[in-house]
Amino acid sequence: MAPTPSGDTRTRVHVISDVHGNARDLARAGDGADALICLGDLVLFLDYADHSRGIFPDLFGVDNADRLVELRTARRFAEARELGARLWAGVDGDRAELIEGAVRRQYAEMFAAVPTPTYATYGNVDMPPLWSEYAGPGTTVLDGERVEIGGRVFGFVGGGLRTPMRTPYEIGDEEYAAKIEAVGEVDVLCTHIPPEVPELVYDTVARRFERGSRALLDAIRRTRPRYALFGHVHQPLVRRMRIGATECVNVGHFASTGKPWALEW
């Protein structure tokens, strides 16, 4: 917390989500802030804007990445899974071990770049069991938990809900709702996925509705936090809107812009 010219103490936090391999900008994301908040998705499996980046093209090439994005964008998920199965069938080695090895390499780079202090939760493409091995003492990992920063209470809920994409950290609606309930009333509610509002969950580039949480929407209406911050939808139809007394803000553009969203009080 830095003193203002009048002598008052103010707090500034930077908030990011969907880092997806952008270690260079991650290292600078906390510059000028008292703390950094990261709402997950450090891993880059496949970049929908640049199909040459990520674990998938590293393993199977850009042409196959182009095809996978085409199928997913058209919501032809069964065909996308068939393509993946064919490609994996031609790979020597255990699939789970190859993916974990690639994720570990990314985590080593990502967590080495994380500034101190950072408060973080998981995204749907993250692998939570690995975080304890890479997160340093300056990083506080929270999921279904609360923390006080500068006199305000922040609640954190990580992961996503189950989808045909079958990403690593997807959980059932009831389990997700229980984490929302455990957080309770807070000043700032921090989640990876948005509340279930059409304008907030529609991705204009992927051309589909991502999964938002009804339990999160109900909690926002019931507990009325000052802010609800989230990511997950990279190119939303609407980046910011009010739900009652709550300002809802999508901060899930970090991979492409490298710029955090700032909150100051």
Side-chain angles (χ1 to χ4, degrees):
M1 295 181 289
T4 65
S6 64
D8 296 330
T9 298
R10 297 190 63 80
T11 299
R12 180 183 177 94
V13 297
H14 288 173
V15 190
I16 63 174
S17 184
D18 300 82
V19 179
H20 292 304
N22 189 349
R24 181 191 63 186
D25 291 320
L26 176 60
R28 301 193 295 260
D31 290 356
D34 297 290
L36 177 70
I37 290 174
C38 179
L39 303 183
D41 273 8
L42 300 182
V43 171
L44 178 60
F45 187 74
L46 176 58
D47 189 335
Y48 276 60
D50 180 355
H51 304 169
S52 68
R53 299 179 65 242
I55 295 172
F56 188 91
D58 286 349
L59 288 169
F60 304 118
V62 177
D63 288 344
N64 285 316
D66 290 341
R67 179 59 177 161
L68 183 66
V69 170
E70 177 186 353
L71 291 172
R72 286 182 171 179
T73 301
R75 302 186 64 81
R76 294 157 62 182
F77 296 117
E79 293 177 64
R81 287 194 292 271
E82 290 172 4
L83 171 63
R86 290 198 304 272
L87 294 172
W88 280 109
V91 171
D92 293 329
D94 180 77
R95 173 177 178 171
E97 290 181 358
L98 287 170
I99 291 177
E100 181 175 319
V103 170
R104 284 182 177 277
R105 288 189 291 274
Q106 289 193 12
Y107 277 162
E109 181 182 14
M110 293 295 104
F111 280 104
V114 170
T116 297
T118 289
Y119 301 89
T121 196
Y122 314 111
N124 62 294
V125 301
D126 284 312
M127 299 177 70
L130 300 183
W131 277 38
S132 61
E133 297 183 38
Y134 295 95
T139 300
T140 302
V141 181
L142 303 135
D143 189 14
E145 299 165 284
R146 302 148 57 101
V147 68
E148 184 176 314
I149 306 173
R152 287 190 178 180
V153 178
F154 288 69
F156 291 78
V157 175
L161 297 174
R162 293 197 176 107
T163 71
M165 306 287 279
R166 300 180 183 178
T167 51
Y169 190 39
E170 295 181 354
I171 62 177
D173 289 63
E174 290 186 3
E175 183 180 352
Y176 192 88
K179 292 196 295 183
I180 293 288
E181 186 68 22
V183 165
E185 294 187 15
V186 295
D187 296 305
V188 185
L189 185 52
C190 300
T191 60
H192 178 68
I193 63 174
E196 190 181 77
V197 176
E199 296 90 339
L200 297 176
V201 300
Y202 186 74
D203 191 304
T204 60
V205 173
R207 291 181 293 173
R208 64 168 179 260
F209 290 96
E210 302 288 355
R211 279 214 69 187
S213 169
R214 180 71 191 189
L216 174 57
L217 177 60
D218 291 344
I220 290 170
R221 288 172 170 164
R222 184 179 68 255
T223 65
R224 298 164 61 88
R226 298 187 188 194
Y227 292 92
L229 310 178
F230 49 85
H232 187 55
V233 183
H234 299 168
Q235 297 89 15
L237 189 62
V238 173
R239 289 199 178 276
R240 189 167 183 159
M241 69 183 298
R242 293 195 72 84
I243 298 177
T246 303
E247 188 75 14
C248 299
V249 184
N250 182 310
V251 299
H253 48 72
F254 189 77
S256 59
T257 68
K259 297 178 180 178
W261 184 78
L263 178 62
E264 188 171 358
W265 65 95

